[in-house]
Amino acid sequence: MFGIGNKKISTESYKGVRDFYPEDQAIQNYIFGVMAGVAKSWGYVEYGASVLEPLQLYKSKSSEEIVNEQIYSFTDRGEREVALRPEMTPTSARMIASKIQELPVPIRWYSIPNLFRYEKPQRGRLREHWQLNVDLFGIPNLLAEVEVISLAFDIMKKFGAEEKDFQIKINSRLLLDDLFKKININEDKKQFVYRLIDKKEKLSDKDFRHSLGALIGEKSAKKLLENFYLGEALLVSMNESIAAKNLNKMIDILRGRGISNIIFTPVLTRGFEYYTGVVFEVFDTNKENPRSLFGGGRYDDLVNSFINQKIPAFGFGMGDVTIKDFLKTHNLLPEINSTVDVCICIAPETNIEEVYKIAKIFREKGINVSVDISAKKLADQLKSLSKRKIPFVMTVGSEELKNQNFTIRNTKTREEKSGGISDIIKFLENV
Ligand code: HAM
């Protein structure tokens, strides 16, 4: 007996997570299909892992905000501290470290895991999301950045987006380090300045200036801001910095590949402690929804927090929630049909076993078919089809079975085709 006495259980899902009804799942599958398709086309292979990880994995290496405020964790029956993974990067680094002797470098991996963060649910932020992770391990130079950012761009294009719909903001923590040195910001302030810059968008200009001044002193703060305001000219003015040269070169190569919407953004740092070099983040350019869509960066020291071997890495995480919002905003979500290709409706007094034999022939040819065994009136069977978004219907009665002559109808265009079963199959195979 379920429920508490006569009280019924709520049908609401847990706060901040989603149920995927078949039409939602179909959209989700479409999104995953595009992501995985592009990743595979660039030679990336899929990996997976459990949602459960030792809490320790995130304690030193993830972002402070995630570990202190957002992690779902519990103590198991064996007194182990366990976390529901809030991101995939520590897991992939752990897996790479564990088998590094067997894995041929460079390693190109992708995965679409579900991740959990205790966030205040709002547009673009939920407590469970799925995130495409694309990571390239073993390439220490800018060829990794160029490849992975080109791949990310390719995904956006495959979704139907144009360059003007989104912007790729890029920066380098090494360049910031050089800039900090140039204006005498103390090395031990570095992580704090990164973090403050990462929060810049959430603060008013005044608050940001104030916090920056408190952190590094008014004079350095003023100098830092002056440099930030230079925009791309900063790359030129820092011509003694190798990081600036590399970033310049990288942007040139990417633009040469037709990726014109890339923009150097010195105030981009991204929140994770593990990033060591180039970071990038992609933004929707829509004025009503200028949100971050996804991002990533270089993390050359994460794998060697498990083993005594340095494996450089560059990758990104692209969430399903932000991408779906983007596709909706830009009218890029395709209309998605049911995975059922044909519904067979049954006329009264028809031999159901004979109908199932026909359905079997369809299935053997790779055509997905459902048989309507509701015993409803034919008109009612047909009515339910448009709701189900099944593209074809075939009504079968004793006459059709006797003559082995069937008619299949496109439920949208109402176009019909009649003939024997093999004719119908040929017709379906060619649509
Ligand atoms: P992240 O910026 O925390 O990076 O997340 C990447 C993307 O995942 C975000 O831009 C967003 O699309 C999505 N996302 C994150 N949190 C949520 C949420 N609460 N609700 C909905 N979507 C969300 C990382 O996680 C890095 N580990 C990515 C990475 C991979 N860096 C290198 N390799």
Side-chain angles (χ1 to χ4, degrees), residues 18 66 70 86-90 92 115-119 122 124-135 270-272 274-275 281-282 292-299 314-323:
R18 293 159 292 169
I66 288 189
Q70 298 182 338
E87 56 156 337
M88 197 61 167
T89 311
S92 58
L115 309 176
F116 301 84
R117 296 183 191 178
Y118 194 81
E119 302 239 23
Q122 54 190 292
R125 291 274 162 228
L126 295 176
R127 291 187 174 169
E128 181 190 31
H129 75 282
W130 273 256
Q131 190 190 90
L132 168 71
N133 276 249
V134 170
D135 292 272
R270 294 193 36 81
F272 295 94
Y274 51 65
Y275 289 126
E281 197 146 329
V282 175
S292 159
L293 296 171
F294 63 95
R298 177 169 282 282
Y299 50 103
F314 186 81
F316 68 86
M318 177 189 271
D320 64 324
V321 182
T322 44
I323 282 295

Side-chain angles (χ1 to χ4, degrees), residues 91-104:
T91 300
S92 58
R94 178 180 64 68
M95 289 169 66
I96 296 279
S98 160
K99 287 238 164 110
I100 193 62
Q101 303 309 338
E102 296 160 46
L103 296 166

Side-chain angles (χ1 to χ4, degrees), residues 334-353:
E335 198 181 320
I336 296 169
N337 265 332
S338 166
T339 51
V340 182
D341 302 312
V342 179
C343 177
I344 301 183
C345 293
I346 306 181
E349 288 162 43
T350 307
N351 182 334
I352 291 186
E353 281 315 299

